[in-house]
């Protein structure tokens, strides 16, 4: 099987997750491969975004959430009391469903992370800004107006700016929470091309509503339903001959 | 059908009329103060000392006193209010305890100003032995405007979308870095404007300073925070009700009222212009 050939970057073991008294995820076990694209699919409310957010502990900022079991990244338990959450998040970039550029200049948006992590040198910052904008395929469109507000960019450009901003902290993993759901088809395609480009260097995990998208960009696909991981495997296999009836029903559009 | 339309029209014109009459009322007050106050205002009136218990001369000590009280109030209340608001919106968990803190703040906003005056008299003037002074008056006014500052600062902080915080945290910023770099800059205009509007109202209050800071007649400028000061609202109160020749010195009263009005309106106007300018810079 393909999974065994790849190095596992994220290892999830018997994980349960609760919002207060409500259990949102049930006994999740999963290995996510390094420098591959893994897609999470499933109907709204199935827990795929919640799961994504457990991987960089973004759920911590919601009052009353609780996690049981283990989430290991590079063999260290990220929910152990010893974990430095800030250091963890520095290792993991995140792209949100709604592009969220800060109301600052394009330059300041990308320099935000590096500055927080102590980069002060102007030349070094400019180097980071340029290389991240090139990686996110935005450089040619914005190189002459780096000091103008990021709010003046189009929706697709804003999302690519957010990708550049996430890359600027030099992460190993990039989490994407429906990154193209608010974009037009052309911008969506650009983001998908970008994902294909980025997986050379980063482990990418993407939540998507769009099954064609999962098919186009991902190497592995996980199907979630009502907080359970129903099926997980190579994308080709999941889409052509799923083992579970629920997966097949969802993929063929019978529900969800 | 026709009847219905007539009904609509009657309601529309009634409401329109009521709204206009409110405006008319305010316009009349402003007009009255302007017409009667302007002739009294001169360079000597603004820069001179009062003479004959305020019947003649100027009102400079009262203008300065009010300005100093405003500055003192801002210096004390702004940091206290802003940090409380940051704690309540960004750090405190939603619990019975924080809810009761909020309730207390809202209740505090409804306490009559004379009660704040008595409180200031008891605590600052007598117990802490500041005497009737600029310091005691500023502290008393600060207590009075704290609820306004906290509530408007909380609103301003809440209006910064959650995704600004998430975006920053996801980049590995700590909570305080996130607040300081990616929440406060956008909330600050709203926090300051709300606060200054609150302070503007305090500048016109008579009751709190009556008991804690204001002198009846003091044609000398304060030299330390432990000095008594004259203040415009109190001076106006004295001229209008306590002066033996109140009727004869009407122009002095109008002049004082106009200066006080201009001061407060100027403060509010400044706050609003500031907000518009900063808003343009940080638009999302």
């Amino acid at each position: 099987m393909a999974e065994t050939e790849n190095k596992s970057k994220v290892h999830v073991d018997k994980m349960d997750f609760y919002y207060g008294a409500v259990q949102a995820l049930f006994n999740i076990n999963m290995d996510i491969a390094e420098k591959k694209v893994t897609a999470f699919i499933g109907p709204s409310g199935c827990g795929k975004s919640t799961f994504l957010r457990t991987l960089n502990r973004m759920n911590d900022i919601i009052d009353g959430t609780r996690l049981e079991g283990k989430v290991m990244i590079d063999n260290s338990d990220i929910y152990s009391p010893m974990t430095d959450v800030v250091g963890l998040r520095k290792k993991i970039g995140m792209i949100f469903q709604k592009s969220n550029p800060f109301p600052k200049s394009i330059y300041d948006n990308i320099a935000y992370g590096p500055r927080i992590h102590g980069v002060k040198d102007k030349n070094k910052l400019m180097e980071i800004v340029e290389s991240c904008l090139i990686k996110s395929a935005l450089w040619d469109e914005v190189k002459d107006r780096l000091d103008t507000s990021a709010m003046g960019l189009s929706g697709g450009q804003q999302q690519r700016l957010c990708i550049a901003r996430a890359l600027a902290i030099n992460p190993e993993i990039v989490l994407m929470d429906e990154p193209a759901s608010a974009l037009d088809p052309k911008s969506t395609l650009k983001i998908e091309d970008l994902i294909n480009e980025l997986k050379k260097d980063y482990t990418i995990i993407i939540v998507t509503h769009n099954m064609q998208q999962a098919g186009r960009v991902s190497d592995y696909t996980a199907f979630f339903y009502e907080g359970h991981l129903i099926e997980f495997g190579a994308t080709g296999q999941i889409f052509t001959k799923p083992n579970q009836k629920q997966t097949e029903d969802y993929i063929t559009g019978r529900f969800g | 059908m026709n009847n219905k339309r007539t009904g609509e029209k009657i309601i529309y014109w009634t409401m329109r009329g009521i709204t206009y009459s409110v405006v008319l009322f305010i316009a009349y007050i402003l007009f009255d103060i302007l017409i009667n106050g302007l002739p009294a205002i001169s360079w000597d009136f603004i820069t001179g000392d009062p003479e004959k218990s305020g019947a003649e001369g100027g009102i400079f000590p009262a203008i300065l006193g009010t300005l100093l009280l405003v500055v003192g109030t801002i210096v004390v209340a702004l940091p206290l209010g802003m940090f409380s608001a940051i704690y309540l919106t960004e750090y405190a968990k939603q619990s019975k305890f924080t809810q009761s803190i909020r309730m207390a703040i809202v209740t505090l906003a409804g306490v009559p100003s004379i009660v704040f005056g008595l409180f200031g008299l008891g605590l600052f003037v007598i117990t802490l032995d500041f005497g009737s002074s600029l310091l005691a008056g500023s502290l008393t006014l600060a207590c009075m405007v704290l609820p306004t500052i906290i509530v408007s600062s909380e609103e301003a902080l809440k209006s910064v979308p959650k995704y600004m915080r998430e975006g920053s945290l996801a980049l590995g910023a700590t909570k305080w870095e996130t607040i300081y770099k990616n929440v406060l800059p956008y909330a600050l205009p709203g926090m300051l404007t709300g606060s200054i509007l609150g302070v503007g109202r305090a500048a016109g209050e008579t009751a709190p300073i009556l008991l804690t800071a204001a002198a009846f007649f003091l044609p000398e400028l304060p030299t330390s925070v432990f000095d008594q000061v004259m203040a415009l609202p109190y001076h106006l109160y004295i001229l209008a009700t306590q002066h033996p020749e109140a009727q004869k010195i009407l122009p002095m009263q109008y002049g004082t009222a106009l200066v006080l009005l201009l001061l407060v309106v100027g403060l509010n106007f400044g706050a609003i212009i500031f907000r518009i300018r900063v808003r343009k810079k940080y638009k999302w």
Side-chain angles (χ1 to χ4, degrees):
Chain A
M1 262 188 67
E3 283 96 323
T4 51
E5 291 166 21
N6 296 309
K7 197 167 159 260
S8 161
K9 183 78 179 168
V10 182
H11 173 72
V12 181
D13 194 21
K14 298 193 191 96
M15 189 251 269
D16 295 308
F17 185 82
Y18 303 83
Y19 289 109
V22 182
Q23 187 164 6
L25 293 170
F26 300 83
N27 192 29
I28 308 288
N29 295 285
M30 193 178 207
D31 271 294
I32 295 172
E34 186 171 30
K35 293 188 183 170
K36 298 282 175 191
V37 179
T38 303
F40 296 170
I41 60 170
S44 299
C46 68
K48 56 193 190 303
S49 286
T50 301
F51 182 44
L52 190 78
R53 291 166 61 99
T54 61
L55 300 180
N56 65 343
R57 293 188 56 170
M58 279 307 273
N59 288 324
D60 286 17
I61 61 178
I62 303 168
D63 282 350
T65 56
R66 186 162 55 86
L67 181 136
E68 283 166 14
K70 276 205 171 84
V71 180
M72 316 277 287
I73 293 181
D74 291 332
N75 295 321
S76 72
D77 182 357
I78 64 168
Y79 281 86
S80 109
M82 311 288 288
T83 302
D84 162 26
V85 180
V86 166
L88 169 77
R89 290 188 185 137
K90 187 170 176 276
K91 219 161 99 169
I92 303 176
M94 186 165 203
I95 316 299
F96 296 85
Q97 178 173 4
K98 188 177 178 306
S99 63
N100 59 347
F102 304 147
K104 303 174 186 283
S105 72
I106 294 169
Y107 180 93
D108 285 337
N109 260 276
I110 299 168
Y112 187 91
R115 276 184 181 141
I116 275 179
H117 300 303
V119 181
K120 289 202 181 77
D121 182 61
K122 284 220 168 91
N123 294 325
K124 179 86 183 128
L125 279 173
M126 189 60 220
E127 220 172 85
I128 295 174
V129 169
E130 181 174 345
S131 75
C132 291
L133 282 171
I134 290 172
K135 276 191 213 165
S136 68
L138 195 59
W139 175 250
D140 288 334
E141 293 160 57
V142 302
K143 64 182 174 197
D144 300 322
R145 46 175 176 143
L146 292 177
D147 56 347
T148 60
S149 170
M151 308 313 284
L153 299 172
S154 74
Q157 288 174 325
Q158 286 190 0
Q159 195 59 300
R160 277 180 286 146
L161 177 78
C162 291
I163 293 175
R165 190 176 66 194
L167 297 182
I169 57 171
N170 205 11
E172 296 166 23
I173 302 173
V174 178
L175 308 177
M176 300 186 172
D177 191 356
E178 301 190 39
S181 67
L183 302 180
D184 61 81
K186 211 173 143 211
S187 304
T188 302
L189 216 64
K190 275 192 178 164
I191 301 275
E192 290 180 7
D193 287 345
L194 191 54
I195 292 171
N196 271 321
E197 201 53 41
L198 292 175
K199 74 172 180 184
K200 289 176 197 149
D201 301 311
Y202 306 94
T203 303
I204 296 175
I205 305 171
I206 176 172
V207 166
T208 177
H209 250 105
N210 178 332
M211 251 147 342
Q212 286 76 25
Q213 185 171 71
R216 283 192 298 262
V217 302
S218 71
D219 301 299
Y220 300 100
T221 297
F223 172 61
F224 287 85
Y225 186 63
E226 292 184 344
H228 296 270
L229 174 58
I230 303 295
E231 189 165 359
F232 177 44
T235 299
Q237 177 252 316
I238 295 273
F239 277 81
T240 51
K241 34 182 198 309
N243 293 323
Q244 303 292 326
K245 178 138 191 331
Q246 275 168 310
T247 316
E248 190 182 345
D249 286 352
Y250 182 70
I251 284 167
T252 53
R254 243 166 274 168
F255 78 96
Chain B
M1 188 65 201
N2 223 344
N3 254 341
K4 245 186 178 174
R5 208 185 277 168
T6 320
E8 282 290 309
K9 268 195 174 161
I10 289 171
I11 292 201
Y12 171 77
W13 281 103
T14 312
M15 293 201 283
R16 194 169 178 174
I18 288 170
T19 310
Y20 285 0
S21 62
V22 172
V23 175
L24 216 70
F25 193 59
I26 295 166
Y28 174 73
I29 295 178
L30 288 177
F31 179 77
D32 186 51
I33 293 177
L34 264 176
I35 283 296
N36 293 297
L38 270 179
I41 291 186
S42 65
W43 184 248
D44 289 338
F45 181 71
I46 291 173
T47 59
D49 287 340
E51 290 158 25
K52 298 189 183 166
S53 311
E56 285 171 25
I59 55 167
F60 182 68
I63 296 175
L64 185 76
T66 291
L67 283 175
L68 288 174
L69 282 168
V70 164
V71 171
T73 307
I74 291 175
V75 167
V76 176
L78 210 56
L80 286 180
M82 287 192 347
F83 280 109
S84 309
I86 292 172
Y87 173 73
L88 284 172
T89 41
E90 306 291 334
Y91 287 95
K93 290 209 161 87
Q94 295 304 320
S95 67
K96 285 256 157 65
F97 180 63
T98 51
Q99 270 193 331
S100 56
I101 292 181
R102 281 214 175 76
M103 276 283 286
I105 290 167
V106 173
T107 312
L108 210 60
V111 171
S113 58
I114 185 70
V115 177
F116 277 105
L118 280 171
F119 168 75
L121 175 69
L123 181 62
F124 303 125
V125 177
I126 297 168
T127 310
L128 295 176
D129 204 18
F130 295 155
S132 178
S133 63
L134 188 56
L135 181 63
S138 296
L139 289 169
T140 308
L141 287 176
C143 292
M144 203 184 89
V145 297
L146 253 183
T148 318
I149 294 181
I150 294 174
V151 170
S152 61
S153 295
E154 271 198 277
E155 290 306 317
L157 286 166
K158 279 184 203 151
S159 76
V160 177
K162 205 176 83 185
Y163 58 73
M164 300 283 189
R165 296 173 179 83
E166 289 195 333
S168 172
L169 289 171
L171 289 168
T174 61
K175 187 148 194 167
W176 172 245
E177 281 167 344
T178 296
I179 294 168
Y180 181 70
K181 292 196 166 176
N182 215 33
V183 177
L184 274 185
Y186 320 134
L188 211 55
M191 292 169 93
L192 288 179
T193 314
S195 305
I196 291 172
L197 292 178
V199 172
R201 279 198 44 216
E205 278 291 348
T206 315
I209 54 168
L210 167 78
L211 300 171
T212 57
F216 167 68
F217 181 71
L218 188 76
E220 282 161 34
L221 302 180
T223 54
S224 92
V225 291
F226 294 106
D227 283 352
Q228 268 196 315
V229 288
M230 291 186 74
L232 287 170
Y234 185 58
H235 188 60
L236 184 58
Y237 163 74
I238 297 292
L239 292 186
T241 63
Q242 307 296 307
H243 203 276
E245 292 169 39
Q247 277 306 314
K248 283 190 189 163
I249 53 167
L250 261 179
M252 297 297 283
Q253 297 167 24
Y254 269 113
T256 309
L258 183 58
V259 170
L260 178 59
L261 201 69
L262 289 176
L263 209 90
V264 174
V265 169
L267 208 59
N268 292 359
F269 222 71
I272 289 164
I273 287 173
F274 171 75
R275 177 168 59 186
I276 292 170
R277 290 185 67 165
V278 184
R279 256 289 146 85
K280 263 195 199 135
K281 197 171 148 206
Y282 296 121
K283 212 169 50 183
W284 64 82

